[in-house]
């Protein structure tokens, strides 16, 4: 005898909306994006409509799950964050899927195994606590690897202040000078100094691109506050990265951590 399940489309819609909304918020918080709330709500609503439509059209459970996981969820994440970089989109997908699976699985486990003691609302509330705690924990771990810094660059006697990120994963080195290469948003540089004239190409490798060439310039000075000290790097090398790398980010520059080991000058702050 085969089991017969009753599924209420309104309950399915509410469940999907809550899970999608929580997952998108997790991506927005953990990836430190600045996507507006209405965009996240629209993304959750789109995911709800897609999943309900898939449920109506594909009655076979495996087919429904395949459509939701491999079509609906990536579409929602792309619609919400509009990533132009494959690496950023892949990172969003990983975080979003983890949140999707954790929240959805927790709700089902708490509600089905609650033996009537746990209401659906209680199951949803308890399930949302777990990814929230996980996001907070990962955020603290991230601070050990990444640091936001107040930076200043100088070229042709003109100073520009900007927000920077010190990323331990950026270890790019200029093969011509042996100096570490920091990354800056090309739009920010060109807006301040115009189209660079003296540029050189630096080979690099990254996720999704095995070989590439990055335009780089040497500026008069790079300075930033690091561990309550002002770090000054004369003749610093900056790679001119595409704007897509910094879009929706709170920083416009990625400082190479090897700069902290080179022979620059420190000044105590305060």
């Amino acid at each position: 005898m085969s089991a017969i399940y009753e599924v209420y489309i309104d309950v399915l819609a509410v469940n999907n909306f809550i899970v999608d909304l929580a997952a998108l918020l997790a991506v927005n918080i953990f990836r430190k994006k600045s996507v507006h709330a209405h965009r996240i709500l629209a993304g959750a609503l789109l995911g709800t409509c897609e999943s309900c439509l898939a449920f109506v059209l594909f009655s076979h459970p495996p087919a429904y799950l395949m459509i939701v996981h491999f079509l609906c969820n990536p579409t929602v994440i792309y619609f919400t964050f509009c990533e132009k970089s494959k690496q950023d989109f892949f990172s969003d997908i990983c975080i979003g899927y983890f949140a999707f699976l954790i929240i959805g699985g927790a709700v089902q486990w708490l509600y089905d195994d609650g033996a009537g003691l746990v209401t659906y609302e209680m199951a949803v509330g308890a399930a949302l606590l777990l990814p929230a705690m996980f996001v907070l924990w990962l955020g603290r771990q991230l601070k050990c690897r990444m640091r936001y810094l107040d930076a200043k660059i100088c070229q042709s006697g003109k100073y520009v202040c900007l927000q920077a990120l010190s990323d331990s994963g950026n270890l790019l080195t200029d093969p011509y000078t042996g100096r570490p290469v920091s990354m800056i948003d090309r739009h920010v540089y060109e807006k301040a100094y115009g189209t660079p004239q003296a540029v050189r190409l630096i080979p690099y490798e990254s996720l999704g691109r095995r070989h590439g060439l990055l335009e780089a310039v040497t500026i008069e000075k790079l300075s930033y506050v690091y561990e309550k000290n002002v770090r000054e790097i004369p003749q610093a090398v900056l790679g001119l990265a595409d704007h897509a790398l910094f879009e929706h980010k709170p920083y416009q520059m990625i400082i190479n951590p090897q700069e902290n080991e080179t022979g620059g000058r420190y000044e105590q702050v305060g």
Side-chain angles (χ1 to χ4, degrees):
M1 180 183 297
S2 60
I4 299 177
Y5 296 94
E6 286 188 359
V7 178
Y8 296 93
I9 194 67
D10 55 341
V11 175
L12 177 66
V14 171
N15 180 71
N16 285 336
F17 180 79
I18 293 175
V19 172
D20 288 350
L21 181 62
L24 293 175
L25 286 173
V27 176
N28 197 47
I29 294 173
F30 178 68
R31 297 272 291 150
K32 297 188 181 298
K33 297 179 178 294
S34 55
V35 177
H36 295 296
H38 70 270
R39 187 82 181 181
I40 295 178
L41 289 172
L45 183 61
L46 174 64
T48 300
C49 295
E50 287 182 336
S51 59
C52 290
L53 181 62
F55 181 80
V56 173
L57 296 178
F58 301 94
S59 58
H60 193 50
Y64 167 74
L65 292 176
M66 290 285 289
I67 293 296
V68 169
H69 287 303
F70 294 102
L71 180 60
C72 296
N73 291 346
T75 301
V76 169
I77 290 177
Y78 181 79
F79 169 81
T80 304
F81 301 105
C82 300
E83 298 286 12
K84 294 181 174 61
S85 167
K86 293 181 180 179
Q87 181 176 357
D88 289 337
F89 179 66
F90 179 75
S91 299
D92 292 349
I93 285 288
C94 290
I95 297 172
Y97 261 107
F98 185 84
F100 282 133
L101 296 176
I102 288 295
I103 299 172
V107 169
Q108 183 176 359
W109 179 76
L110 289 169
Y111 186 61
D112 291 345
D113 297 343
L117 300 177
V118 179
T119 65
Y120 178 76
E121 293 77 10
M122 293 172 59
V124 172
L128 293 178
L129 289 177
L130 182 59
M133 295 173 62
F134 178 75
V135 167
L136 291 175
W137 177 80
L138 280 182
R140 293 178 181 178
Q141 298 299 315
L142 188 64
K143 289 181 180 179
C144 298
R145 189 177 71 89
M146 295 183 176
R147 301 188 180 188
Y148 291 99
L149 309 170
D150 293 323
K152 183 188 297 183
I153 60 175
C154 178
Q155 185 75 307
S156 303
K158 181 179 180 180
Y159 287 87
V160 174
C161 298
L162 64 165
Q163 185 83 357
L165 173 73
S166 180
D167 184 2
S168 60
N170 174 29
L171 300 177
L172 185 62
T173 302
D174 184 355
Y176 304 101
T177 63
R179 298 291 303 274
V181 179
S182 297
M183 311 289 288
I184 189 172
D185 187 337
R186 175 185 288 273
H187 287 187
V188 173
Y189 183 91
E190 292 183 347
K191 183 177 180 180
Y193 304 112
T195 303
Q197 301 300 322
V199 299
R200 56 186 180 277
L201 298 178
I202 296 178
Y204 73 95
E205 294 184 2
S206 64
L207 182 65
R209 185 167 186 174
R210 187 167 181 80
H211 300 289
L213 293 174
L214 176 70
E215 288 189 347
V217 296
T218 299
I219 62 172
E220 296 173 6
K221 184 171 62 176
L222 163 67
S223 60
Y224 56 92
V225 178
Y226 178 75
E227 294 184 347
K228 298 183 178 181
N229 293 313
V230 176
R231 176 71 167 164
E232 293 189 351
I233 311 295
Q235 300 299 304
V237 181
L238 296 184
L240 304 177
D242 291 337
H243 177 67
L245 180 64
F246 299 92
E247 196 170 17
H248 304 306
K249 304 295 195 306
Y251 52 88
Q252 302 82 43
M253 183 177 183
I254 301 176
I255 294 179
N256 194 315
Q258 296 176 101
E259 293 286 16
N260 300 320
E261 305 170 4
T262 57
R265 184 169 67 90
Y266 279 106
E267 289 185 0
Q268 184 71 32
V269 175

